[in-house]
């Protein structure tokens, strides 16, 4: 194919699949996650399902229709053998994109498709919302749940309430129990709009709303290396998307999904579970907890990215101890699964294709510590009658970090203004009274939910570590701990 041509189905021969999937959202994440998995299922099993993308917002950026739905997905990272891996996949399972604000008739027509089985979505965290002012007559409804209600009601009417025409509805928005929340809003709209009780019964009994946990870093369009990649591919691709090698899709739903998704034929990293909560806790505690812990500890040592942390044997030892000795022992999941997930997390942190800035993770670090690390600190202290070294060291470093300066290092802080104002007011305590500073921070019940000074020996522990960090810096302390 000549380099002046874009991908299209005239210049490259591809298989076309019957449209069985409607997908709200055409962005990078779904194309490098859901569509990437579906393309493998189509290639390697008899899943045989084409995708219709629905653009859920009224935007003017180019449509993938210009490439007949074709695009390239490149996944890259480090495998378990510490080898660089890269996979290039031409995705040909997307058939078309519907611009709902100008092609509402095409959108509603999809509800009349007897072969339709699935609805996936990612309309961002702000997408699954309820707005009582939305009406059935809007073309389309302003909210995603409103659009979905319109679609499902048309399908219900067209097929006269046929119980066999319900759908698997699988949202991927990053909110807790997204499927349950989406179903709640759809039913609320049905009630607001005085739709028939038979429709609400059909929604409840014939459609399956599944909550999910999604996990993959999608780095999107690689503008800094696109010329090199297109030269290698031999064609131009305006919708090329890159992502990390790792992925995980956890679906809370009936076991029949394993059969429907052909997981016995192709064991993708998709887990069908009764409750996503343990997987959410695992991700928050291990992956997000490690991120939050490393930010102040590493940044105070002049380290700027996640990969620099895992490339440094001293800081890597610190992160590994935190995860394996302090976090995993207080989680409820199977230890072998947790340890495997931890290994995957370290490999992901060490991905040479991703430069993840520590400062980009530092937003609202105090609240993140509360949700990601404080539960493990409290559980560890209760179980062991002792304060966990690594988590407490991270909290001490975080308190130093929130001064906004350290030696010659200026630290741009991003957090709620009331928290930043408190630390400004306490600035002199860093030089005059570390004990009082520590007491003040641990006493923020409006942040922590409890007075952490009540935890036996925690205040003394944190105050000592703050003093050590101010005197020696984080790197020298960790070198002393891990170089022995």
């Amino acid at each position: 194919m000549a380099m002046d041509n874009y991908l299209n189905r005239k210049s490259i021969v591809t298989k076309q699949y019957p449209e069985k999937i409607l997908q709200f959202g055409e962005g990078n994440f779904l194309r490098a996650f859901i569509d990437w998995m579906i393309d493998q299922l189509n290639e390697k099993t008899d899943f045989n399902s084409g995708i219709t993308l629905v653009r859920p917002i009224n935007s003017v950026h180019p449509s993938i229709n210009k490439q007949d739905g074709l695009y390239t997905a490149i996944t890259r990272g480090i495998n378990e053998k510490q080898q660089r891996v890269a996979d290039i996949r031409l995705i040909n399972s997307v058939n078309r994109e519907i611009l709902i604000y100008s092609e509402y008739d095409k959108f509603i027509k999809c509800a009349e498709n007897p072969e339709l089985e699935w609805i996936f979505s990612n309309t961002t965290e702000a997408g699954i919302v309820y707005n009582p002012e939305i009406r059935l007559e809007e073309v389309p409804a302003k909210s995603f749940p409103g659009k979905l209600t319109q679609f499902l009601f048309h399908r219900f009417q067209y097929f006269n309430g046929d119980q066999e025409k319900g759908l698997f509805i699988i949202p991927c928005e990053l909110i807790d129990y997204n499927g349950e929340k989406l179903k709640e809003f759809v039913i609320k709209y049905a009630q607001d709009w005085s739709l028939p009780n038979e429709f609400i019964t059909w929604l409840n009994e014939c459609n399956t709303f599944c909550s999910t946990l999604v996990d993959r870093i999608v780095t999107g369009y690689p503008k800094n290396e696109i010329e090199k990649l297109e030269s290698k591919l031999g064609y131009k691709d305006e919708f090329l998307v890159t992502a990390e090698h790792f992925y995980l899709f956890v679906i809370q739903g009936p076991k029949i999904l394993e059969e429907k998704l052909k997981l016995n034929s192709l064991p993708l990293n998709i887990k069908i579970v009764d409750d996503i909560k343990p997987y959410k806790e695992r991700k928050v505690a291990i992956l997000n907890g490690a991120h939050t812990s490393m930010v102040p500890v590493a940044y105070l040592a002049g380290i700027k990215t996640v990969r620099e942390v895992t490339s440094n044997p001293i800081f890597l030892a610190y992160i590994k101890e935190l995860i394996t000795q302090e976090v995993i022992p207080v989680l409820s999941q199977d230890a072998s699964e947790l340890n495997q997930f931890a290994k995957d997390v370290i490999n992901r942190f060490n991905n040479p294709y991703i430069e993840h800035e520590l400062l980009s993770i530092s937003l609202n670090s105090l609240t993140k510590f509360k949700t990601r690390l404080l539960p493990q600190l409290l559980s560890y202290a209760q179980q062991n009658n002792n304060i966990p070294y690594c988590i407490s060291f991270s909290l001490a470093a975080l308190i130093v970090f929130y001064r906004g300066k350290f030696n010659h290092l200026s630290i741009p802080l991003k957090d709620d203004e009331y928290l930043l104002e408190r630390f400004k007011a306490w600035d002199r305590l860093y030089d005059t009274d570390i004990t009082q500073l520590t007491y003040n921070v641990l006493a923020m019940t409006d942040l922590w939910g409890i007075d952490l000074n009540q935890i036996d020996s925690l205040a003394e522990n944190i105050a000592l570590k703050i003093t050590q960090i101010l005197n020696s810096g984080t790197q020298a302390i960790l070198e002393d701990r891990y170089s022995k």
Side-chain angles (χ1 to χ4, degrees):
M1 187 188 302
M3 276 298 292
D4 58 349
N5 289 333
Y6 285 97
L7 276 171
N8 61 68
R9 294 185 187 269
K10 293 179 181 178
S11 55
I12 187 168
V13 178
T14 60
K15 185 174 181 179
Q16 194 109 11
Y17 300 96
E19 290 186 323
K20 298 181 183 179
I21 300 168
L22 192 72
Q23 178 175 299
F24 287 85
E26 79 295 350
N28 287 326
F29 179 79
L30 285 181
R31 290 192 296 108
F33 188 72
I34 294 295
D35 302 346
W36 176 85
M37 285 186 275
I38 288 167
D39 201 70
Q40 294 180 71
L41 290 170
N42 282 337
E43 177 190 340
K44 298 172 183 177
T45 76
D46 61 349
F47 189 62
N48 195 36
S49 299
I51 306 162
T52 296
L53 305 183
V54 176
R55 188 179 300 190
I57 59 175
N58 192 12
S59 60
V60 295
H61 59 264
S63 169
I64 201 168
N65 289 333
K66 70 184 294 184
Q67 295 183 183
D68 297 326
L70 298 177
Y71 67 95
T72 312
I74 301 177
T75 56
R76 305 180 290 191
I78 300 292
N79 65 14
E80 291 184 356
K81 298 179 180 179
Q82 300 301 303
Q83 300 167 324
R84 291 193 180 198
V85 290
D87 176 73
I88 299 173
R89 171 169 286 272
L90 176 63
I91 307 294
N92 69 340
S93 296
V94 173
N95 291 335
R96 58 178 175 146
E97 179 183 1
I98 294 173
L99 310 183
I100 192 171
Y101 280 85
S102 59
E103 300 176 314
Y104 184 79
D105 55 335
K106 291 183 180 180
F107 163 68
I108 282 296
K109 187 71 175 175
C110 290
E112 303 172 8
N113 176 5
E115 290 191 283
L116 191 69
E117 292 186 68
W118 308 87
I119 290 181
F120 292 94
S121 70
N122 186 8
T123 56
T124 78
E125 294 92 314
I128 299 182
V129 294
Y130 170 72
N131 181 347
E133 297 180 358
I134 289 175
R135 297 289 176 262
L136 174 64
E137 296 76 22
E138 294 176 358
V139 181
K142 293 183 181 67
S143 75
F144 163 52
K147 294 178 178 73
L148 181 58
T149 308
Q150 291 173 322
F151 183 89
L152 293 173
F153 184 54
H154 186 79
R155 186 170 180 84
F156 170 80
Q157 289 182 306
Y158 185 82
F159 290 107
N160 298 311
D162 187 342
Q163 295 184 1
E164 300 299 318
K165 293 300 185 287
L167 304 171
F168 289 99
I169 300 166
I170 306 180
C172 299
E173 288 82 356
L174 298 178
I175 63 173
D176 288 342
Y177 293 101
N178 44 22
E180 294 176 24
K181 187 63 67 175
L182 180 58
K183 181 178 181 180
E184 175 190 337
F185 291 159
V186 167
I187 290 176
K188 188 76 171 72
Y189 281 125
Q191 294 168 338
D192 288 352
W193 299 342
S194 300
L195 301 181
N197 288 331
E198 292 82 3
F199 172 58
I200 296 176
T201 299
W202 182 81
L203 283 174
N204 276 311
E205 297 181 359
C206 303
N207 296 270
T208 304
F209 288 78
C210 300
S211 290
T212 66
L213 181 145
V214 299
D215 193 1
R216 168 171 261 178
I217 297 172
V218 174
T219 39
Y221 183 77
K223 60 182 179 181
N224 294 331
E225 51 179 331
I226 189 62
E227 291 185 7
K228 177 182 177 181
L229 291 172
E230 286 182 338
S231 176
K232 181 178 180 179
L233 294 170
Y235 54 76
K236 296 182 70 66
D237 186 351
E238 194 171 312
F239 295 87
L240 190 150
V241 61
T242 58
E244 68 171 326
H245 176 66
F246 176 89
Y247 71 99
L248 171 65
F249 193 22
V250 184
I251 305 174
Q252 179 178 302
K255 289 298 181 184
I256 194 175
L257 283 170
E258 293 180 351
E259 177 184 337
K260 298 289 292 183
L261 290 169
K262 311 295 180 182
L263 298 183
N264 290 333
S265 301
L266 182 63
L268 296 171
N269 201 18
I270 301 175
K271 297 183 182 295
I272 311 301
V273 301
D274 295 327
D275 188 359
I276 59 173
K277 184 179 179 180
Y279 293 89
K280 173 81 172 180
E281 290 177 343
R282 179 181 80 172
K283 179 176 181 285
V284 169
I286 297 178
L287 188 150
N288 301 126
H291 265 159
T292 297
S293 69
M294 73 172 64
V295 167
V297 173
Y299 196 81
L300 292 178
I303 294 175
K304 298 298 194 296
T305 69
V306 171
R307 192 158 69 91
E308 287 179 66
V309 175
T310 54
S311 299
N312 184 310
I314 297 298
F315 286 89
L316 177 59
Y318 164 76
I319 292 299
K320 284 185 174 181
E321 182 183 356
L322 180 139
I323 293 173
T324 62
Q325 303 302 313
E326 299 179 2
V327 173
I328 287 179
V330 300
L331 298 179
S332 58
Q333 271 191 292
D334 176 74
S336 61
E337 282 195 25
L338 292 172
N339 282 302
Q340 181 57 54
F341 183 75
K343 290 179 182 178
D344 291 336
V345 163
I346 296 298
N347 285 338
R348 296 171 71 183
F349 288 169
N350 205 31
N351 191 336
Y353 301 101
I354 298 176
E355 292 298 334
H356 204 168
E357 298 283 340
L358 293 179
L359 283 179
S360 72
I361 308 171
S362 71
L363 175 69
N364 299 329
S365 282
L366 287 165
T367 301
K368 286 177 178 176
F369 187 94
K370 174 197 173 182
T371 58
R372 299 174 175 184
L373 289 167
L374 183 58
Q376 282 61 252
L377 187 154
L378 297 176
S379 295
Y380 185 99
Q382 184 177 28
Q383 291 180 20
N384 299 280
N385 196 29
N386 192 17
I387 302 300
Y389 179 86
C390 296
I391 299 178
S392 61
F393 187 74
S394 175
L395 179 55
L398 190 61
I399 294 171
V400 175
F401 185 85
Y402 265 68
R403 191 180 192 183
K405 58 186 177 182
F406 180 69
N407 295 335
H408 302 295
L409 189 66
S410 177
I411 305 170
L413 299 172
K414 296 180 181 179
D415 211 319
D416 290 330
E417 193 60 33
Y418 81 95
L419 291 171
L420 298 180
E421 287 297 327
R422 286 180 188 175
F423 278 88
K424 286 180 183 176
W426 299 335
D427 183 77
R428 64 178 180 81
L429 297 177
Y430 285 89
D431 299 318
T432 61
D433 196 340
I434 297 300
T435 299
Q436 184 63 50
L437 171 67
T438 304
Y439 176 86
N440 291 351
V441 175
L442 297 187
M444 292 193 295
T445 55
D446 54 346
L447 171 66
W448 308 121
I450 60 172
D451 184 351
L452 294 179
N453 289 293
Q454 297 175 358
I455 308 301
D456 186 42
S457 75
L458 180 62
E460 297 90 332
N461 187 296
I462 298 297
L464 176 60
K465 288 187 171 71
I466 291 174
T467 301
Q468 291 172 337
I469 292 170
L470 290 173
N471 290 336
S472 304
T474 56
Q475 181 156 348
I477 295 169
L478 296 183
E479 284 177 350
D480 184 60
R481 181 176 180 85
Y482 297 111
S483 295
K484 294 178 181 178

